[in-house]
């Protein structure tokens, strides 16, 4: 494989040979280093699979993407809420209130149950001026 | 000479509180830093939806050591937290990006965005006040019009400088997914906004319409394999923009070729050796930032472990690769467990494109001089920032024998991340955001 690939710098290519202070100074012992460069990542992968054997076959990809796309999703379902409201027209909706033992799924959350997001009314500390 | 330049950053100006992990200071975490076109203004956005703007002092002959320091100029609440009941989605007020517009008159304009909504803010100065109104008193109370017997012309009187920020446009409801980038076009009339799957083109004057120019959402979401991670317009060619992906690729698109730029004009990807592939390969290849050089000839991408410089004329591989913290390759397992492997670092060019900078952990940041091939690791911290002393280069030790002043990989604090840095467009002045503190360093040499 391409000698400089693992470390990302071509030593035999476009005049990017490392000089003093260069972050890649492995020129002379390239081949050995190159093999060692492969090992850390594989060793880490083995460690991870040992800890989490059920980790998906596919390499880190789609699961993360779906999680990323769903960031911010809360469990308030306005559909369920409104259906429940319609069915129990004459009754009070049970509120979460002090009863923390309600099992998830039995209780239809209401907008009031959601943690209140307060906006930042306090001025940023950066605007307090220079420190020291 | 350029050689000494990187090692002589000093004169730190530090803003921000002492910080801590408590809930109350989470809002103070800086989420974006951006100089304006002249470099006289520096804007920061934070997790609490606030924007703070700093202004550079005019250099003063009577105070030769003032060196154009930055002071607070204006601060305002840009975005508020919201809840989208229809989608059961919590919308954070965190400012993801700020981009300045080029200055056209006395006022300054910037775009700030959270996950869903982009706002155009006008920042203007008021240093005069009108006095002598006919219909109201000096204290603002309305006068009875029937009691007015004579008319006077109000006159302008000087007042203490007041800097006002007002929202001029709100560009909302165009993004289903989370906005990661905004970029002002060189035509100064349009800008793009990008989320995980789509890129929209806006006109700065028009808020009720935007054009979708890239859409990578698959018909079946289970076929989703990559997302858009960053996008930017070319600095000079108003028809060209690039976007990067979670798979380490960059696509360059030309808006002249078609209305919907799903087909790229150029496709940049570094060939990978299949034998070196691991579970982590794709995650660490995900590009977290893409930036064109000022010249427009190159672009730079940041992935988890490196910064790559690409020549726009060569799609097959980058022309330069700079290792930011290669020693983390043997820590990927724990970095995956603590989610640090998903941290999104940004990168930036200096004004002349001769150097690039990006952040790392332990409040370290890295600078690479492209001409001399030298690089340096510096630290942004209260302890290591003495007013007149140069920043001392830092070194991380990977092997067994740790030299004095070196830090071992295992001692690095992964909670101290420098994700956002900015470089003055012309001078050697840099802004580094270390969690909730902003450091501004200046070059010691003239």
């Amino acid at each position: 494989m391409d000698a400089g690939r693992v470390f990302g710098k071509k030593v035999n290519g476009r005049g990017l040979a490392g000089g003093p202070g260069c972050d890649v100074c492995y020129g002379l012992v390239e081949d050995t280093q190159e093999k060692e460069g492969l090992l850390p990542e594989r060793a880490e992968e083995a460690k991870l699979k040992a800890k989490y054997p059920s980790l998906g076959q596919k390499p880190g990809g789609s699961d993360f993407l779906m999680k990323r796309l769903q960031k911010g999703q809360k469990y308030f379902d306005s559909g369920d809420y409104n259906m429940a409201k319609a069915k129990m027209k004459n009754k009070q909706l049970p509120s979460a209130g002090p009863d923390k033992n309600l099992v998830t799924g039995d209780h239809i959350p209401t907008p009031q149950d959601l943690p209140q997001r307060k906006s930042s009314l306090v001025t940023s500390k950066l605007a307090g001026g220079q420190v020291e | 000479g350029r050689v000494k330049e990187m090692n002589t950053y000093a004169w730190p100006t530090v803003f921000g509180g002492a910080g801590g992990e408590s809930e109350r200071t989470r809002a103070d975490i800086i989420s974006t830093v951006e100089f304006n076109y002249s470099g006289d203004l520096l804007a920061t956005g934070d997790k609490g939806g606030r924007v703070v703007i700093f202004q550079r002092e005019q250099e003063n002959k009577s105070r030769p050591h003032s060196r154009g320091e930055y002071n607070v100029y204006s601060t305002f609440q840009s975005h508020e937290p919201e809840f989208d009941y229809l989608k059961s989605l919590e919308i954070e007020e965190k400012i993801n990006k700020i981009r300045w517009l080029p200055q056209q008159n006395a006022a300054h304009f910037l775009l700030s965005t959270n996950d869903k909504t982009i706002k155009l803010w006008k920042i203007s100065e008021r240093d005069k006040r009108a006095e002598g109104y006919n219909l109201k008193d000096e204290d603002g109370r309305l006068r009875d019009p029937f009691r007015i017997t004579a008319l006077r012309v109000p006159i302008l009187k000087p007042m203490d400088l007041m800097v006002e920020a007002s929202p001029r446009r709100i560009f909302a409801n165009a993004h289903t997914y989370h906005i990661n980038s905004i970029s002002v076009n060189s035509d100064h009339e349009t800008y793009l906004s990008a989320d995980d799957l789509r890129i929209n083109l806006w006109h700065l004057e028009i808020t009720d319409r935007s054009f979708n120019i890239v859409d990578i959402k698959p018909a079946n979401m289970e076929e989703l394999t990559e997302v858009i991670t960053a996008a930017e317009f070319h600095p000079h060619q108003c028809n060209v923009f690039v976007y990067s992906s979670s798979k380490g690729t960059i696509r360059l698109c030309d808006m002249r070729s078609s209305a919907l730029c799903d087909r790229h004009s150029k496709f940049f990807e570094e060939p990978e050796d299949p034998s070196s592939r691991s579970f982590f390969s794709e995650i660490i290849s995900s590009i977290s930032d893409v930036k064109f050089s000022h010249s427009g000839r190159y672009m730079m991408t940041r992935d988890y472990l490196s910064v790559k410089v690409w020549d726009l004329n060569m799609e097959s591989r980058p022309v330069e690769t700079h290792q930011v913290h290669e020693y983390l390759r043997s820590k990927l397992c724990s970095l995956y467990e603590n989610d640090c492997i998903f941290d999104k670092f940004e990168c930036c060019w200096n004004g002349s494109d001769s150097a690039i900078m990006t952040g790392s952990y332990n409040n370290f940041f890295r600078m690479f001089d492209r001409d001399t091939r030298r690089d340096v690791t510096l630290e942004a911290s209260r302890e290591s920032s003495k007013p007149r002393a140069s920043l001392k280069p830092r070194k991380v030790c990977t092997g067994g024998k740790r030299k004095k002043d070196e830090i071992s990989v295992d001692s690095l604090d992964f909670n101290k991340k420098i994700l956002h840095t900015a470089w003055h467009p012309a001078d050697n002045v840099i802004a580094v955001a270390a969690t909730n503190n902003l450091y501004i360093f200046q070059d010691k040499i003239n």
Side-chain angles (χ1 to χ4, degrees):
Chain A
M1 68 175 257
D2 185 4
R5 172 65 180 88
V6 171
F7 299 99
K9 255 195 173 181
K10 289 192 210 301
V11 177
N12 55 350
R14 295 171 177 77
L16 291 172
C22 172
D23 56 344
V24 178
C25 306
Y26 306 105
L28 292 175
V29 289
E30 213 170 277
D31 284 353
T32 325
Q33 295 284 348
E34 173 193 316
K35 292 197 176 77
E36 283 178 5
L38 285 174
L39 289 180
E41 206 171 310
R42 285 285 173 79
E44 291 296 298
E45 180 174 9
K47 247 194 259 178
L48 194 68
K49 296 231 153 112
K51 278 195 186 181
Y52 309 102
S54 60
L55 206 54
Q57 286 302 317
K58 50 191 173 189
S62 299
D63 287 344
F64 306 116
L65 298 184
M66 292 312 291
K67 196 166 126 182
R68 177 185 179 140
L69 294 179
Q70 279 164 13
K71 180 189 102 168
Q73 207 78 40
K74 294 290 174 190
Y75 297 108
F76 172 72
D77 186 320
S78 58
D80 281 347
Y81 170 66
N82 284 304
M83 292 282 282
K85 217 162 92 164
K87 279 189 197 149
M88 297 162 60
K89 258 187 285 201
N90 299 320
K91 288 191 234 174
Q92 280 279 283
L93 275 172
S95 62
D99 187 355
K100 302 268 190 277
N101 295 324
L102 273 177
V103 174
T104 308
D106 279 355
H107 164 63
I108 307 291
T110 66
Q112 289 74 20
D113 294 340
L114 295 168
Q116 288 303 313
R117 296 295 321 282
K118 290 202 178 79
S119 67
S120 303
L121 300 171
V122 181
T123 314
S124 164
K125 293 199 181 69
L126 290 188
Q130 188 182 324
V131 172
E132 89 223 85
Chain B
R2 298 304 242 180
V3 171
K4 284 192 177 177
E5 180 180 299
M6 287 190 313
N7 291 341
T8 57
Y9 275 91
W11 308 101
T13 313
V14 186
F15 296 91
E21 290 298 310
S22 68
E23 186 67 51
R24 144 173 74 89
T25 58
R26 199 162 297 168
D28 292 326
I29 295 173
I30 300 168
S31 50
T32 184
V33 184
E34 185 83 354
F35 280 101
N36 73 340
Y37 282 75
S38 64
D40 283 340
L41 296 179
L42 174 69
T44 60
D46 67 20
K47 265 195 150 190
R50 300 160 303 188
V51 172
V52 181
I53 301 176
F54 302 87
Q55 185 186 46
R56 196 177 198 185
E57 251 174 40
Q58 297 301 318
E59 298 232 10
N60 196 334
K61 288 217 170 66
S62 64
R63 289 185 59 217
H65 292 301
S66 74
R67 295 201 55 90
E69 274 184 7
Y70 284 81
N71 299 310
V72 180
Y73 178 66
S74 170
T75 179
F76 55 92
Q77 185 77 35
S78 172
H79 287 70
E80 302 274 358
E82 289 173 60
F83 195 91
D84 182 339
Y85 290 103
L86 192 63
K87 296 179 186 160
S88 299
L89 195 65
E90 187 171 37
I91 302 169
E92 273 192 294
E93 67 275 36
K94 171 166 81 87
I95 308 296
N96 293 336
K97 286 279 162 26
I98 287 173
R99 289 289 183 265
W100 291 91
L101 267 57
Q103 195 177 5
Q104 289 173 330
N105 52 38
H108 298 277
F109 289 86
L110 60 79
L111 287 171
S112 70
T113 188
N114 69 347
D115 282 341
K116 296 287 179 182
T117 304
I118 306 129
K119 296 187 183 181
L120 175 69
W121 288 89
K122 175 180 179 181
I123 296 107
S124 48
E125 294 184 0
R126 188 197 290 264
D127 61 359
K128 294 184 197 44
R129 179 181 47 218
E131 279 179 14
Y133 286 102
N134 291 292
L135 293 177
K136 58 182 181 187
D137 285 339
E138 294 311 324
D139 52 9
R141 269 184 312 184
L142 293 174
R143 293 166 81 193
D144 179 356
F146 292 104
R147 296 254 170 102
I148 298 169
T149 52
L151 289 179
R152 56 189 175 171
V153 178
I155 46 173
L156 292 176
K157 289 233 169 105
M159 59 181 252
D160 286 340
L161 179 67
M162 202 164 75
V163 182
E164 301 172 319
S166 60
R168 305 305 278 179
R169 305 269 188 278
I170 298 187
F171 304 92
N173 302 318
H175 285 279
T176 307
Y177 302 98
H178 299 102
I179 297 173
N180 53 55
S181 311
I182 47 174
S183 178
V184 182
N185 204 349
S186 53
D187 65 8
H188 301 167
E189 286 187 348
T190 59
Y191 74 95
L192 63 75
S193 57
D195 66 31
D196 292 313
L197 298 178
R198 299 191 177 102
I199 302 179
N200 294 330
L201 179 71
W202 302 83
H203 190 286
L204 286 164
E205 301 285 334
I206 299 168
T207 58
D208 62 356
R209 249 174 305 159
S210 83
F211 289 100
N212 176 244
I213 52 178
V214 173
D215 187 340
I216 65 167
K217 185 177 179 197
N220 181 356
M221 281 299 270
E222 284 180 9
E223 289 164 26
L224 181 71
T225 54
E226 66 183 326
V227 294
I228 296 168
T229 52
E232 191 173 66
F233 264 121
H234 190 278
H236 313 307
Q237 296 168 32
C238 59
N239 53 299
V240 172
F241 66 93
V242 292
Y243 68 92
S244 58
S245 85
S246 52
K247 278 181 140 173
T249 66
I250 310 99
R251 288 170 177 81
L252 183 144
C253 301
D254 185 336
M255 296 195 293
R256 291 173 309 190
S257 60
S258 67
L260 188 59
C261 297
D262 277 359
R263 294 182 53 191
H264 52 263
S265 300
K266 292 194 184 186
F267 182 74
F268 299 81
E269 185 178 34
E270 182 160 24
E272 188 200 18
D273 176 9
S275 72
S276 68
R277 195 159 175 81
S278 76
F279 174 84
F280 304 110
S281 298
E282 192 174 306
I283 305 175
I284 62 173
S285 73
S286 176
I287 292 171
S288 48
D289 195 17
V290 64
K291 292 266 171 50
F292 278 103
S293 64
H294 293 89
S295 65
R297 166 88 192 270
Y298 299 97
M299 68 179 173
M300 162 168 60
T301 57
R302 175 70 155 97
D303 52 70
Y304 190 59
L305 299 178
S306 70
V307 178
K308 296 178 179 170
V309 177
W310 303 77
D311 183 327
L312 293 188
N313 297 319
M314 189 168 76
E315 299 163 59
S316 54
R317 57 187 70 237
V319 289
E320 291 166 32
T321 301
H322 303 276
Q323 299 303 334
V324 182
H325 38 217
E326 178 68 15
Y327 46 78
L328 294 184
R329 201 178 285 270
S330 54
K331 300 287 168 199
L332 291 178
C333 180
S334 42
L335 291 169
Y336 173 89
E337 290 181 290
N338 62 19
D339 275 353
C340 283
I341 205 174
F342 300 106
D343 284 337
K344 299 182 179 58
F345 292 93
E346 291 172 8
C347 53
C348 59
W349 299 85
N350 71 344
S352 60
D353 298 335
S354 65
I356 58 188
M357 170 168 60
T358 190
S360 179
Y361 294 104
N362 209 71
N363 281 348
F364 287 171
F365 59 101
R366 303 266 285 140
M367 282 179 162
F368 304 91
D369 185 318
R370 300 175 63 218
D371 300 333
T372 63
R373 309 265 181 270
R374 287 170 63 137
D375 63 85
V376 69
T377 305
L378 301 172
E379 182 178 357
S381 74
R382 308 284 183 118
E383 297 77 38
S384 70
S385 299
K386 301 211 168 51
R388 278 163 180 64
S390 308
L391 282 181
K392 212 174 65 162
R394 312 292 284 160
K395 197 142 162 42
V396 177
C397 148
T398 52
K401 294 200 182 109
R402 189 178 71 88
K403 297 197 187 106
K404 186 172 95 100
D405 286 348
E406 281 186 359
I407 299 195
S408 120
V409 184
D410 297 309
S411 311
L412 296 175
D413 186 343
F414 291 97
N415 290 317
K416 294 186 177 165
K417 320 169 202 252
I418 292 182
L419 304 173
H420 313 286
T421 60
W423 210 315
H424 190 286
D427 300 340
N428 283 328
V429 179
I430 56 173
V432 176
T435 315
N436 58 337
N437 287 321
L438 179 73
Y439 290 80
I440 302 172
F441 297 106
Q442 312 232 11
D443 190 2
K444 235 180 168 177
I445 305 174
N446 289 346

